[in-house]
Amino acid sequence: MRTRLTVSAAAGALALLLSVPASASAAAQAGPGAPGIGDPYYPTAGNGGYDVSHYDIRLKYQPATDDLEGTTTILATAGQDLTRFNLDFVLKVNEVLVNGRPAGFAATGEHELEITPARVIPKGSPITVVVRYADRPGTVLRGGVSGWLRTPDGGIAANEPEGAAWWYPSNDHPTDKATFDVSVLVPDGTQVISNGTSTQSSRAGWTRYNYRQTKPQATYLATVAIGKFDIRTDTTPGGLPVITAYSRDLGDNAGAAQASVERTGELVDWLSGRFGPYPFGTVGGYVPNVPTGYALETQGQIFYSPAQFARGANTSVVVHELAHQWYGDSVSVRRWSDIWLNEGFARYSQWLWSEHENEGTAQELADYVYNLYPADNVFWTIKPGDPGPDQQFAGAVYDRGAVAVQALRNAVGDEKFFRILKGWPTERRYGNATVQDFQAYAERISGKPLAELFNTWLFTPSKPAAGSAGVAAPGTAKPSLTPRAAADAQPEPKSWKKIQETNTVHEHKG
Ligand code: TRP
Ligand code: ZN
């Protein structure tokens, strides 16, 4: 009885304890939105307290001086009674209006713009934020780096995971997707590239480019490129608009760049056969005059680097970035630790393309990766399923990540595997997901428990045993050789070097 009483008293106390914070927060709920959205890798990325539905970004840019003037209007909904909220932004702000009234603002932390509206915004009500700003984005550094790429003829925003803050204020996290209008005024003779469909108008020496993205888009997948471009428009046989653009200063790389990127329509059709219908209203890519060596899957309008075409055409990189339109852009990470859902599959799609081109099967590529790195190589210390913020784009996330996809294929068989590959982007279209969500989906479709396979290939910081899930199975190497000699003797798949040209090591500002 006594014990019983104690138990029920404890239960009562527990109920009270649980209800206290709830009712207390209901009473005193009005407060500031959190300065981060809660991503363990990037604690101050994104913000709490509101949800964005649309960005209207209106810019004027002077290529000669890097002077950027902007007015961004954000449509959002309050998720709590808000006394204050943050946007992620690094440029110099002149004025902020919230629901038509001047609001207080202050730059805090690495990239926070703290906004205090004139009155509390009630939970559930719409918020219109207007931010007016002017700066030279190439001169604004965080950790010694600018997220704005200055070029001889203009500037470019294309960065991951964080680059938006150098050209527009936002809730900078993939879980808060929105539609976008981007309008840029530039001097006649300069062109502008951004996401989606476009119109333009000219007046008194200035041209205005208006771009519109009507499908949900993560903030890091919005891009703008200003410079001297040749822009081409076309449509795929299926009627999808294709927009490609090339800097007029690509020099010796111009032919190889065009011979690769002009195959976008054909390659997007090929990928649609594997991943299901293309998720966006336009497709394309641009090759600016930049010294970088990487590409970025900016939504419907991919950023490439001329260096990727310096050794001739490279359709493999186009396949990689197009694959991201399904794996990364339409279905996006829930947390940045879920990056394998992007890079493991984009790399694997290059292996499928290699297989299709008779330049090495995915199995051969997986075996090759397995044998390339001995057990004591740092390669195997990286867990593709949780690589850590510093190793988010390490080679192992791509290559070991793709081996993990091949392991899944071997475990469930081709029929189930290709059903998973196509079903996942359809089921999760325009959403966010975790690695665990994907595992659950693959288990549902295949009817097989996959915890051990995922654990072995994605979450173990050491080299899995040869033969695990059919990777480097006995018999794939010549049996008469020692394992080491067999690895040495394994021929490099014909596609290997081109695949590795997708991502040359680069510095990134987190
Ligand atoms: N997601 C890019 C790819 O694999 C690679 C990448 C990571 C990147 N961080 C970046 C590209 C920053 C440009 C800028 O295709
Ligand atoms: Zn990628």
Side-chain angles (χ1 to χ4, degrees), residues 29-370:
Q29 205 182 28
I37 211 165
D39 193 304
Y41 282 16
Y42 304 96
T44 60
N47 303 289
Y50 63 94
D51 186 78
V52 176
S53 60
H54 185 72
Y55 293 95
D56 182 279
I57 305 167
R58 208 173 161 84
L59 308 174
K60 180 180 183 184
Y61 187 71
Q62 272 287 9
T65 58
D66 196 31
D67 276 302
L68 179 76
E69 284 170 44
T71 301
T72 289
T73 304
I74 301 173
L75 305 182
T77 306
Q80 63 177 76
D81 291 344
L82 275 177
T83 55
R84 200 176 80 201
F85 62 91
N86 284 15
L87 292 169
D88 299 307
F89 199 45
V90 296
L91 304 185
K92 193 176 163 292
V93 173
N94 297 318
E95 186 183 18
V96 177
L97 304 178
V98 175
N99 294 342
R101 294 183 175 79
F105 60 91
T108 64
E110 264 244 302
H111 52 227
E112 300 297 311
L113 175 63
E114 208 176 86
I115 298 174
T116 308
R119 10 180 113 173
V120 174
I121 301 162
K123 177 178 178 173
S125 65
I127 317 173
T128 304
V129 190
V130 176
V131 181
R132 279 188 227 288
Y133 47 98
D135 215 331
R136 292 184 170 168
T139 67
V140 180
L141 308 182
R142 292 291 180 275
V145 181
S146 170
W148 180 258
L149 273 168
R150 192 71 169 107
T151 62
D153 53 354
I156 296 163
N159 219 329
E160 181 188 14
E162 293 173 330
W166 274 266
W167 65 292
Y168 69 100
S170 75
N171 186 21
D172 195 8
H173 193 268
T175 50
D176 193 359
K177 299 189 188 190
T179 53
F180 282 72
D181 279 311
V182 175
S183 174
V184 189
L185 189 64
V186 289
D188 282 350
T190 292
Q191 287 74 34
V192 179
I193 318 290
S194 189
N195 316 77
T197 55
S198 73
T199 60
Q200 47 177 290
S201 58
S202 214
R203 194 177 73 95
W206 291 80
T207 305
R208 178 172 288 287
Y209 286 78
N210 306 296
Y211 280 86
R212 168 161 282 192
Q213 174 61 268
T214 59
K215 301 295 186 203
Q217 178 169 281
T219 45
Y220 80 99
L221 296 171
T223 187
V224 69
I226 300 162
K228 295 195 185 302
F229 287 97
D230 288 318
I231 303 179
R232 305 181 181 190
T233 57
D234 202 347
T235 46
T236 63
L240 180 69
V242 185
I243 304 134
T244 54
Y246 305 91
S247 163
R248 291 185 209 149
D249 299 316
L250 291 183
D252 290 348
N253 295 330
Q258 289 173 37
S260 314
V261 179
E262 287 306 311
R263 293 185 65 180
T264 294
E266 168 204 346
L267 296 172
V268 83
D269 280 350
W270 182 76
L271 283 168
S272 301
R274 270 115 206 110
F275 300 153
Y278 178 72
F280 306 122
T282 61
V283 71
Y286 66 94
V287 190
N289 181 15
V290 286
T292 50
Y294 47 82
L296 184 65
E297 61 267 27
T298 37
Q299 188 162 310
Q301 188 52 256
I302 292 157
F303 164 91
Y304 295 99
S305 291
Q308 294 173 308
F309 309 109
R311 286 159 296 269
N314 188 346
T315 47
S316 189
V317 63
V318 180
V319 166
H320 179 107
E321 303 308 331
L322 285 173
H324 275 310
Q325 304 304 309
W326 287 263
Y327 283 87
D329 295 10
S330 173
V331 186
S332 305
V333 294
R334 173 156 315 281
R335 313 150 302 198
W336 280 111
S337 59
D338 297 309
I339 193 67
W340 172 74
L341 290 175
N342 296 10
E343 302 305 346
F345 289 84
R347 174 53 48 89
Y348 193 78
S349 71
Q350 294 178 276
W351 291 9
L352 290 176
W353 180 242
S354 167
E355 201 163 297
H356 174 265
E357 295 287 282
N358 288 314
E359 296 192 335
T361 63
Q363 182 68 54
E364 284 163 357
L365 283 152
D367 293 343
Y368 185 74
V369 168
Y370 185 90

